[in-house]
Amino acid sequence: MYSKFGRIKEARQVFDQMLDRNEASWNNMVSGYVRMGYYVDSTWLFIEMWGRGIELNGFVIASLLTAFSRSENMALEGLQIHSFVLKNGLLRDVFVGTSLLHFYGGYGYLCSAQRLFEEMPEKNVVSWTSFMVGFSDNGDNEVVVDVYQRMKREGIGCNQNTFTTVISSSGALDDEFLGHQVLGHVIKSGFEDNVSVANSLVSMFGSFGRVKEACYVFDQMDERDTISWNSMIAAYAHNLLCEESFRCFELMCCDHNEINATTLSTLVSASSTLENLKWGRGIHGLVVKMGLGSNICLCNSLLTMYSDTGRSKEAESLFQGMKEKDLISWNSLMAGYVSEGRSIDALRVLTDLLINGKFISYVTFASALAACSDPEFLAEGKIVHVLAVIFGFHENLVVGNALVTMYGKCGMVSEAKQVFQTMPEQELVTWNALIGGYAENEESDEAVKAFKLMKEKGQPANYITMISVLGACSVPSNLLKFGMPLHAQMIVIGFDTNEYVKNSLITMYANCGDLYSSNLIFDKVVNKTSVTWNAMVAANAHHGYGEEALKLILEMQRAKVDFDQFSLSASLAVAADLASLEEGKQLQGLAIKLGFDSYHYVKNSTMDMYGKCGEIDDVLKMLPAPNMRSRLSWNILISSFSRHGFFQKARETFHEMLKHGSKPDHVTFVSLLSACSHGGLVDEGLAYFASMTSLFGVPPEIEHCVCIVDLLGRSGRLAEAEAFIAKMPVPPNDFIWRSLLAACRIHGNMDLGEKAAKHLLESNPSDDSAYVLYSNVCAASGKWQDVQNVRVKMESNSIKKQPACSWVKLKTEVSTFGIGDCSHPQSEQIYNKVAELRNKINEAGYVPDTTFALHDTDEEQKEHNLWNHSERLALAYGLISTPEGSTLRIFKNLRVCGDCHSVYKFVSSIIHREIILRDPYRFHHFRDGKCSCGDYW
């Protein structure tokens, strides 16, 4: 009696005072300890009972095995009891055998359970069901179904637990046919009114996406318990019907009035999207109100919700406040960091787990490897790989897949292939990871070869396979060779109707230069999702059609398609390339409204947009703390400083980046060398170029070489620039020769300019800039006949010079000006303002530099031509159209003229306003008669 009411101390006192104890007394005391969770005490009492020679029966053995199963750390004791059972011939007791089956299933010893089951001389329905439950709990649902079919063949009847288990397995296997077969058996056996069976049916239909059928079963139930309501809420949640989940919860509160942690946990899982986050926060408040804040499973669900919705601060706060944490808690926090691109924080979680000696699972390593799936964290990824080997997870399929993915994304394709080949088994995800790695590194031949080998091995492809192999076709030469045959193959197989495959086809055709086909596929998509729109936006941006991309973004908004983090990142990138500050600000506002502003790529895209729109202060405001910056953030900062003329700050940032342990990459050095080039930091730039490979292992590419030629050329070291080109580690291209030719124009080197122009025209005969630059070299040297010869050659080859234009954007209106333009409605006021400015700066000491007037005319005409330059007209219009004291922003499509640069300096001093001029290469901040470029650009 005492033990049944939980008064175990009193029960033990009575037991100890008994003068005569029989077998039943000992059995009751042992079972009392087990019932109260005193598993070690029950074991010691059993040993005492055995030592006193008390006859042991099946009842006490079954109780003891229940204790070992529940404790989760008494596997050795259970194995010893099995030996005792065999030695004493107790296996013939069906209850003992069933308890042993339950014990082995609970510890995941499924081979031992299988062997025991076959050896049992007698089995009842409980034995069969315990055997099934062990496999079900360990995820081996196919075995559960096999055992169920065997039961039917042998004529073994099923009980409610049998049906519950096999119904759950049908749902887990997504086998609707089997589910309906089991339903027929349930009805035939008369268990359709059983609450547990009905609950399982609700869950099963929910997992099949058959919400109507789940509702029907639920509505037909005469009796419902808490599990019934939870199952129905879960069915709605599984099918992303959040409002219906909460409506069902509201009915549950009225009709059932009993809510548990599972109810709230299920509702939290339904709220793990940004649009439903408000519901999740409400449930979090209810959790606190009901005093369930210490429930670890419920807290883990909240952690996952905050992590999935990019609310890392709230996830961190919740995690820190949890009194008890299990591995799921740590893994959830880590997964949240990974999804937000916060790799350093994710790896810090792994470090904390290791330092504190916590148990680590394969899930932990899979997340840690995902955090290292960036070249910046390759070294850390290799360390995690070693740790996975040490902990014995290197042969785990999930960890193996994560390793293949990590090495592929870090550009180490040979290592990815090596991991792939040494894996004990490969599944579809493994093949997709390998093909994706080849695609990521533009190894088209290898990607297609792996795809063919995969088919030869009998591994069926899925849509992800198709996306990965299409991603390998990124250059025009791949279109006919691989891209179009793959497209035809997908039509035959039927994958061309898949939304994600269509999006990949849009991207592939765009990358291969066929935007017409991209548009054709896009127009035929009936129900366009955000992914489809994103693909088309990226396709237009890839071809330089930024305005078209922005129009698509507007259409996407009008179509009421939900923006995601990728839509916003792509849109912000387009706004950055167009220097469209207003649109960029609107997109940032939208990101904040939708809750994506803290996402890694959105935040960095926003910073990049402000940097390219001239708002360096906004870049600095958004910048994470140095120890929290990713390499992408550092690169954006260095690039912004370089673009805005803060060359020393660019160098300081590079050294600060190194100090905080972030490794520079290809992009870092392009920005750094560009800063040195435009800042006249020749020796520093050459030193950085030398250290790039020797210290940091970054191989020199054409972009770095262009910077060095530009660096030497601008400083007048033309002979060194020519010698560098002769010894370059990569073949020179048109950018190299264009940089050298531009330097020859600055320094008036006619002979070398002619040589550079010849090479430039050989590499790109239709390049108008080659003719224009060479013409400028001739004009600067006063060789007007040569200028005329160049122009005749351009005309005979039908090559037209790209016209210079400048523009000013005021709110949504863009005003564009060409040289000597008179088409603007305010043209008269503009030219009046030009005349006014001319008079004012002449009085201030301005002397025109007529070498920038590239026509053979007298000095007066040359000066007149200079005052017709587009950037001066844009300046005049900007001054008459904007408030006094405000910052004026002007854009030009070609490099700013040297004399216009001088004019802007004088004007900024006279009118006491900041003028920001952006040309294709950089920003010029004019303030108080000075420019941020230091007159060196």
Side-chain angles (χ1 to χ4, degrees), residues 672-748:
L672 183 62
L673 292 172
S674 177
C676 293
S677 171
H678 288 94
L681 308 172
V682 183
D683 293 333
E684 293 89 338
L686 292 172
Y688 287 130
F689 182 78
S691 69
M692 185 172 72
T693 306
S694 60
L695 293 181
F696 302 102
V698 177
E701 295 185 28
I702 195 68
E703 294 89 347
H704 305 118
C705 294
V706 170
C707 289
I708 294 299
V709 172
D710 200 49
L711 175 83
L712 293 168
R714 283 175 187 275
S715 62
R717 293 159 68 168
L718 296 174
E720 289 179 61
E722 188 179 11
F724 176 82
I725 294 171
K727 294 185 289 185
M728 267 170 50
V730 289
N733 64 0
D734 53 339
F735 290 103
I736 292 287
W737 298 116
R738 193 177 293 113
S739 291
L740 184 63
L741 184 54
C744 291
R745 181 251 179 269
I746 295 169
H747 298 287

Side-chain angles (χ1 to χ4, degrees), residues 720-791:
E720 289 179 61
E722 188 179 11
F724 176 82
I725 294 171
K727 294 185 289 185
M728 267 170 50
V730 289
N733 64 0
D734 53 339
F735 290 103
I736 292 287
W737 298 116
R738 193 177 293 113
S739 291
L740 184 63
L741 184 54
C744 291
R745 181 251 179 269
I746 295 169
H747 298 287
N749 190 323
M750 183 75 179
D751 294 335
L752 186 56
E754 189 174 353
K755 192 186 296 186
K758 183 180 175 183
H759 283 295
L760 180 52
L761 289 170
E762 282 174 1
S763 61
N764 190 354
S766 60
D767 185 359
D768 68 304
S769 67
Y771 294 95
V772 172
L773 277 170
Y774 184 53
S775 173
N776 292 349
V777 171
C778 298
S781 305
K783 298 188 176 182
W784 299 109
Q785 185 56 48
D786 290 336
V787 172
Q788 184 61 29
N789 292 341
V790 172
R791 288 175 183 164

Side-chain angles (χ1 to χ4, degrees), residues 391-642:
F391 278 81
F393 287 113
H394 57 293
E395 293 189 346
N396 179 276
L397 185 59
V398 176
V399 173
N401 294 341
L403 281 166
V404 174
T405 302
M406 187 267 292
Y407 281 121
K409 289 192 174 180
C410 289
M412 310 290 283
V413 189
S414 56
E415 283 78 0
K417 186 178 180 180
Q418 190 177 353
V419 171
F420 176 88
Q421 290 173 336
T422 56
M423 286 173 68
E425 61 173 314
Q426 291 102 9
E427 61 172 3
L428 179 59
V429 176
T430 323
W431 284 98
N432 288 347
L434 181 66
I435 294 168
Y438 285 129
E440 189 100 16
N441 292 279
E442 298 180 359
E443 295 190 18
S444 310
D445 292 331
E446 292 298 324
V448 174
K449 194 187 295 181
F451 176 58
K452 288 178 180 176
L453 182 62
M454 173 185 172
K455 290 196 295 181
E456 287 170 14
K457 296 276 187 182
Q459 176 66 63
N462 66 357
Y463 75 95
I464 295 172
T465 320
M466 298 304 176
I467 290 169
S468 297
V469 76
L470 284 171
C473 306
S474 57
V475 293
S477 59
N478 289 335
L479 188 58
L480 284 173
K481 187 179 177 183
F482 298 130
M484 295 179 84
L486 283 167
H487 189 179
Q489 194 175 340
M490 287 171 196
I491 292 170
V492 172
I493 299 170
F495 275 118
D496 63 309
T497 58
N498 181 279
E499 175 200 346
Y500 297 99
V501 172
K502 284 180 181 177
N503 300 335
S504 295
L505 285 167
I506 289 170
T507 303
M508 180 200 73
Y509 278 111
N511 289 343
C512 292
D514 187 358
L515 192 59
Y516 173 79
S517 295
S518 295
N519 276 304
L520 210 60
I521 296 167
F522 177 77
D523 291 338
K524 287 183 179 178
V525 178
V526 180
N527 298 313
K528 298 179 178 74
T529 65
S530 60
V531 183
T532 317
W533 286 96
N534 293 349
M536 203 62 224
V537 168
N540 278 276
H542 177 78
H543 281 273
Y545 302 138
E547 291 182 6
E548 286 300 316
L550 283 181
K551 284 178 186 175
L552 281 167
I553 292 161
L554 189 60
E555 285 179 38
M556 181 180 175
Q557 205 168 10
R558 285 173 183 159
K560 296 184 178 177
V561 177
D562 291 332
F563 279 68
D564 58 20
Q565 58 172 314
F566 305 107
S567 316
L568 291 161
S569 297
S571 305
L572 285 160
V574 172
D577 290 338
L578 291 174
S580 300
L581 182 60
E582 284 301 317
E583 285 78 2
K585 285 182 175 179
Q586 288 170 11
L587 287 164
Q588 185 195 16
L590 185 60
I592 293 168
K593 181 181 176 183
L594 296 174
F596 287 113
D597 55 307
S598 62
Y599 278 65
H600 178 65
Y601 290 108
V602 175
K603 191 167 187 176
N604 281 300
S605 295
T606 308
M607 283 168 53
D608 192 43
M609 180 273 296
Y610 278 121
K612 288 177 178 175
C613 289
E615 299 296 307
I616 190 73
D617 290 339
D618 286 305
V619 175
L620 297 173
K621 284 176 190 174
M622 293 188 65
L623 199 65
N627 61 329
M628 299 291 288
R629 283 176 209 163
S630 66
R631 180 163 59 195
L632 179 57
S633 302
W634 285 108
N635 285 350
I636 288 169
L637 184 58
I638 294 170
S639 174
S640 296
F641 279 141
S642 172

Side-chain angles (χ1 to χ4, degrees), residues 810-851:
L810 302 176
K811 295 184 179 178
T812 58
E813 184 185 343
V814 177
S815 295
T816 305
F817 302 90
I819 188 167
D821 199 338
C822 295
S823 62
H824 196 278
Q826 293 175 265
S827 190
E828 187 178 344
Q829 296 99 305
I830 291 168
Y831 279 98
N832 287 339
K833 189 67 176 178
V834 167
E836 179 190 326
L837 292 172
R838 184 174 179 178
N839 291 331
K840 283 184 177 180
I841 67 171
N842 280 337
E843 290 172 9
Y846 159 74
V847 177
D849 184 352
T850 55
T851 60

